[in-house]
Amino acid sequence: MKRREFLGVAAGAIAMPALVTSARADDRIEWRMATAWPKGAPGVGVNAQRLADRIGAMSGGRLTVKLYGAGELVPPFEVFDAVSQGMVCEMGHGSPYYWQGKNPVFHYFTGVPFGLMAPEMAGWLQFGGGQALWEEAYAPFGVQPFYAGSSGVQAGGWFNREIKALDDLKGLRFRIAGLGGEVMRRLGVSVVLTPPGEIFSSMQNRTIDAAEWVGPWNDMAFGLDRVAKYYYLPAFHEAGPALELLVNKEKFNALPADLQDIVRGAAMASAAEALADFTFHNIEAFARLTAEGGPELREWPEPVAAALARVSGEVLAELAASSELAGRVAASHDAYLAKARQWSRWSDAAMLGLRNRHPLG
């Protein structure tokens, strides 16, 4: 999509609610959206609801979407299948790595260890060929994906013991998602993928020793600050993980062209809103967390960080070699990431360093 077209869609998404009129009952289409998140969960559940509501408002009621939280319609990790089949629901809201069992290449469209930050991910998908590859990956399942935002940089996780060396990871029962979980597994961690709604109880009952979820806002909302002493930041495996809107492709293609554009525009608006939501509330939550004494903040020790990077490279090389499609996705992603690293060295990283060395006031 060219910049001028992108601006036109965005402007249309803003203007649309004022232009449409209420639909007649016989013109209405009612869809269901299943989500991987508890209903109303900060950031994820809330923005899924806003997205559903926005589609209804922008269409003047011609296309309305009823949202169902995790487990209300289908279990959280079965959302992709439900959308693919198109019988129980027409839409879903989640993150691509939750369905990596279908095809491990899906990881690239969430994010990979030491990978793209949120604005970089949006750039690759919208302008760098990532969206076309994403659609190709989902095509065999009859699912149309749309980028729906990001949490930004996530936290590395909550631990009940300090990680000082690689040996401290061995045998650790750690709730961690995505390729980060595979990296940790190869370093001796016992990896557990607990659904979001069960993380707190699993930590409280000591069925797991550590857990990563999102960041300060979500983690505190889920009570993780009350059940662990050490907070490791950042997440080596989630620099800017993507959220997605899933749509049954057959149902999407059957929509009138203007309703298809409304769904696209609503997802694009949700992407910007979700990132702003996470950015603001993570800043606010972190201020509260540290003001209250909070946990002991930690970065990964350098020997651990080096091992995480080394093993991440091995995991990603194997993933790239797993199929012809994975090779093409990896080549596109990695070429863009290399350029992004060059630019961020002289833009974001340089500005953050400058700002931190010379704070105002």
Side-chain angles (χ1 to χ4, degrees):
M1 183 181 290
K2 303 297 184 184
R3 181 175 182 274
R4 187 173 301 164
E5 295 170 354
F6 168 81
L7 293 175
V9 171
I14 294 169
M16 191 68 71
L19 297 178
V20 296
T21 58
S22 297
R24 297 195 311 263
D26 56 353
D27 292 333
R28 292 176 186 163
I29 301 171
E30 296 181 359
W31 278 4
R32 295 149 295 182
M33 178 192 290
T35 73
W37 332 108
K39 200 168 187 178
V44 285
V46 169
N47 281 288
Q49 184 67 66
R50 289 172 177 160
L51 174 52
D53 294 344
R54 180 175 283 113
I55 291 171
M58 290 171 63
S59 67
R62 290 172 56 211
L63 175 58
T64 59
V65 180
K66 183 174 181 179
L67 182 139
Y68 294 85
E72 291 184 340
L73 202 58
V74 295
F77 297 145
E78 295 180 18
V79 170
F80 186 91
D81 283 338
V83 174
S84 175
Q85 294 160 9
M87 301 297 292
V88 175
C89 62
E90 296 79 13
M91 283 184 160
H93 196 278
S95 192
Y97 64 171
Y98 284 164
W99 343 117
Q100 59 85 29
K102 302 295 181 185
N103 189 334
V105 79
F106 289 5
H107 281 291
Y108 278 100
F109 307 108
T110 300
V112 299
F114 298 90
L116 299 171
M117 309 284 279
E120 296 167 343
M121 172 65 84
W124 177 56
L125 291 174
Q126 293 183 19
F127 299 103
Q131 179 67 35
L133 290 166
W134 194 5
E135 292 178 8
E136 183 178 350
Y138 277 20
F141 307 96
V143 175
Q144 171 67 43
F146 295 99
Y147 179 64
S150 174
S151 61
V153 178
Q154 292 202 0
W158 296 86
F159 292 75
N160 279 308
R161 70 171 185 246
E162 195 168 4
I163 306 300
K164 296 180 178 179
L166 279 174
D167 284 346
D168 293 321
L169 293 175
K170 298 187 185 306
L172 190 78
R173 294 167 300 177
F174 188 12
R175 189 275 178 195
I176 179 170
L179 290 177
E182 176 59 20
V183 172
M184 283 289 184
R185 187 189 66 78
R186 296 187 186 198
L187 291 173
V189 171
S190 177
V191 174
V192 181
L193 185 53
T194 304
E198 300 174 16
I199 299 175
F200 175 81
S201 61
S202 297
M203 284 288 286
Q204 188 178 46
N205 297 333
R206 295 294 189 264
T207 56
I208 57 176
D209 306 305
E212 61 84 31
W213 173 214
V214 181
W217 181 31
N218 294 80
D219 293 357
M220 291 175 70
F222 277 55
L224 301 186
D225 56 312
R226 304 199 304 271
V227 290
K229 182 178 180 181
Y230 300 102
Y231 198 23
Y232 277 79
L233 301 110
F236 74 95
H237 63 303
E238 291 181 313
L243 300 171
E244 67 180 346
L245 171 66
L246 304 163
V247 187
N248 179 276
K249 190 163 187 174
E250 183 178 354
K251 301 290 179 66
F252 179 76
N253 289 340
L255 290 176
D258 64 323
L259 289 184
Q260 291 183 10
D261 285 342
I262 283 171
V263 172
R264 291 190 189 95
M268 191 174 293
S270 183
E273 185 174 39
L275 180 58
D277 200 13
F278 274 106
T279 300
F280 176 83
H281 285 98
N282 275 325
I283 290 171
E284 293 290 313
F286 191 73
R288 293 195 306 274
L289 183 68
T290 53
E292 295 166 0
E296 295 187 31
L297 304 179
R298 294 288 187 272
E299 294 182 272
W300 301 107
E302 187 53 35
V304 175
L308 292 172
R310 173 180 55 79
V311 177
S312 293
E314 295 170 359
V315 169
L316 290 172
E318 292 175 17
L319 175 54
S322 65
S323 70
E324 186 272 337
L325 174 60
R328 287 191 287 115
V329 173
S332 173
H333 174 276
D334 293 352
Y336 177 74
L337 175 60
K339 294 175 185 176
R341 279 199 300 261
Q342 288 181 324
W343 170 233
S344 65
R345 161 67 179 83
W346 295 100
S347 56
D348 291 358
M351 184 64 233
L352 288 171
L354 185 65
R355 188 176 73 178
N356 291 339
R357 291 194 305 273
H358 304 283
L360 296 178

